[in-house]
Amino acid sequence: MREVGLVTGNLHKLQEFQHGLARLGIKVRHLKVECDEIQADDLDEVVNGCLDQIAAAGHKDFILDDSGLFIPALNGFPGVYSAYVFKTIGCAGVLRLLEGISDRRADFRCCIGCQMEDVGRLVVTGVSPGRVVMEERGERGFGYDPIFVPDGADRTFAEMDMDEKIVFSHRGAAMRIFVERLRGMSKEV
Ligand code: ITT
């Protein structure tokens, strides 16, 4: 079984990767190294910058993700600034920004990057289209989970268990694409 180190400071992400990738044949351990996220317009630029930094530090066989909530009515905000916005104004602040706006559509995006000894670099993105609800709902998950309902569901990510969130989520979609691409590049998953 392939084993990879996940670079993240977010233990919820670690759980989602361990849960999602185990069933796709990859074992995930926590790789506790820091990455200085570069300021960029796209998630994949941030991911490539982190892959460069961590590979330059001598690490091999690792993955990481950069994710964000993109709201068209706010011109894509918070997007690549999602972590900072969450830390500063949180879900409540995003709900306030949307007050009086009827277009509540939003996309959650997850860009996964990996650097492997045998296959090199792979960067893929998964998207979960959905909408921002009117008030926070649910206790599970993390980040913006209480305010986002994916298309095809009527509950927020924070009202779903991890199995169900992975079916609908940006990270679940990215993990499935990632494993499919990896299978095309290597006999070992
Ligand atoms: P890293 O150490 O992996 O970077 P992070 O939590 O800072 O952890 P990101 O920069 O990728 O992760 O996340 C950007 C923001 O989007 C951050 O506030 C997250 O809480 C939020 N976010 C990412 N994935 C999410 C998900 O599946 N559900 C809810 N919020 C999410």
Side-chain angles (χ1 to χ4, degrees):
M1 195 184 216
R2 188 186 284 274
E3 192 177 321
V4 294
L6 176 73
V7 180
T8 184
N10 180 333
L11 296 179
H12 292 280
K13 269 192 194 178
L14 177 66
Q15 277 186 336
E16 289 189 8
F17 271 104
Q18 283 176 329
H19 194 79
L21 288 182
R23 62 174 64 179
L24 296 171
I26 299 176
K27 187 171 178 194
V28 179
R29 61 186 159 72
H30 195 188
L31 177 57
K32 294 179 198 157
V33 293
E34 293 281 321
C35 161
D36 287 328
E37 286 186 13
I38 55 164
Q39 205 53 257
D41 293 334
D42 295 307
L43 296 177
D44 57 348
E45 276 184 66
V46 178
V47 164
N48 275 299
C50 282
L51 292 174
D52 289 342
Q53 280 179 45
I54 292 158
H59 294 283
K60 296 186 173 105
D61 295 333
F62 60 89
I63 61 170
L64 50 88
D65 96 23
D66 195 42
S67 306
L69 183 65
F70 293 73
I71 303 177
L74 303 178
N75 293 323
F77 190 80
V80 288
Y81 308 108
S82 291
Y84 179 72
V85 169
F86 186 75
K87 272 183 226 132
T88 50
I89 61 173
C91 288
V94 172
L95 291 179
R96 270 197 304 277
L97 292 176
L98 283 171
E99 265 169 25
I101 297 177
S102 57
D103 178 6
R104 314 282 298 191
R105 282 175 306 124
D107 281 340
F108 242 131
R109 294 188 202 155
C110 172
C111 180
I112 295 180
C114 83
Q115 189 75 43
M116 304 284 188
E117 242 194 328
D118 58 344
V119 296
R121 182 170 297 194
L122 178 59
V123 177
V124 303
T125 300
V127 182
S128 174
R131 65 194 161 87
V132 175
V133 290
M134 301 303 282
E135 55 189 17
E136 293 183 44
R137 289 183 349 220
E139 306 295 329
R140 294 172 166 145
F142 66 99
Y144 299 104
D145 282 345
I147 59 169
F148 183 81
V149 171
D151 286 351
D154 50 17
R155 282 172 301 138
T156 65
F157 278 159
E159 293 175 304
M160 298 180 181
D161 63 24
M162 204 180 289
D163 276 331
E164 197 181 358
K165 181 181 169 187
I166 281 175
V167 170
F168 288 103
S169 79
H170 48 312
R171 188 163 296 104
M175 285 192 273
R176 290 188 289 275
I177 298 168
F178 171 71
V179 170
E180 199 182 299
R181 293 273 305 277
L182 206 55
R183 284 198 180 120
M185 295 162 90
S186 153
K187 283 197 192 73
E188 195 191 4
V189 174

